[in-house]
């Protein structure tokens, strides 16, 4: 499958998810762009590539793996992170190629 085809499929999935009012999107992602980014990111949430770090509220994944799973660019991931607050935050470390997420 070509990258352009994959991007189109992801775009269609996001548009369908935005129409579905049963999709849970945390309050911090309160505008259309935030919702789109969260829905894209959330596809990776239950992926087994995540590793627990210090209990159930912290987990880590390789940055390139997360980008591949979600179809996001690094810029989109950083934009998503700008919506974070004390209850949800990504720590993106390009030097170690890891992303750590903290969920309360």
């Amino acid at each position: 499958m070509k990258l352009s085809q994959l991007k189109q499929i992801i775009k269609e999935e996001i548009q369908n998810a935005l129409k579905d009012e049963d999709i849970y999107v945390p309050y911090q992602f309160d505008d259309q762009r935030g919702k789109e980014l969260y829905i894209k990111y959330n596809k990776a949430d239950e992926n087994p590539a995540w590793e627990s770090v210090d209990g159930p509220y912290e987990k880590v994944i390789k940055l390139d793996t997360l980008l591949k799973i979600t179809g996001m660019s690094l810029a989109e991931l950083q934009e998503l992170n700008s919506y974070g607050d004390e209850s949800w935050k990504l720590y993106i470390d390009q030097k170690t190629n890891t992303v750590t997420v903290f969920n309360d």
Side-chain angles (χ1 to χ4, degrees):
M1 182 178 290
K2 292 182 181 179
L3 183 58
S4 61
Q5 292 172 317
L6 182 59
K7 286 182 179 183
Q8 182 61 35
I9 291 169
I10 291 170
K11 184 178 179 180
E12 289 170 7
E13 286 179 1
I14 291 169
Q15 293 305 317
N16 289 337
L18 287 171
K19 292 175 189 173
D20 185 355
E21 294 185 18
D22 291 337
I23 298 292
Y24 171 75
V25 177
Y27 70 90
Q28 333 45 336
F29 308 96
D30 59 351
D31 63 12
Q32 185 71 15
R33 180 66 176 156
K35 290 177 185 174
E36 289 174 2
L37 290 169
Y38 183 80
I39 289 168
K40 229 174 164 178
Y41 163 81
N42 197 45
K43 289 192 288 182
D45 191 50
E46 298 298 323
N47 193 290
W50 287 100
E51 297 176 20
S52 290
V53 180
D54 287 329
Y57 302 112
E58 182 180 350
K59 56 188 181 178
V60 67
I61 192 170
K62 294 285 184 193
L63 174 59
D64 56 349
T65 300
L66 180 61
L67 296 177
K68 196 177 294 180
I69 293 168
T70 61
M72 298 176 86
S73 66
L74 179 58
E76 286 177 312
L77 192 63
Q78 291 169 330
E79 183 181 357
L80 171 77
N81 201 33
S82 71
Y83 288 88
D85 65 8
E86 65 278 349
S87 66
W88 185 90
K89 190 74 175 170
L90 293 174
Y91 292 90
I92 302 166
D93 187 340
Q94 290 178 271
K95 287 182 183 178
T96 62
N97 190 41
T98 58
V99 176
T100 304
V101 65
F102 296 93
N103 292 311
D104 273 346

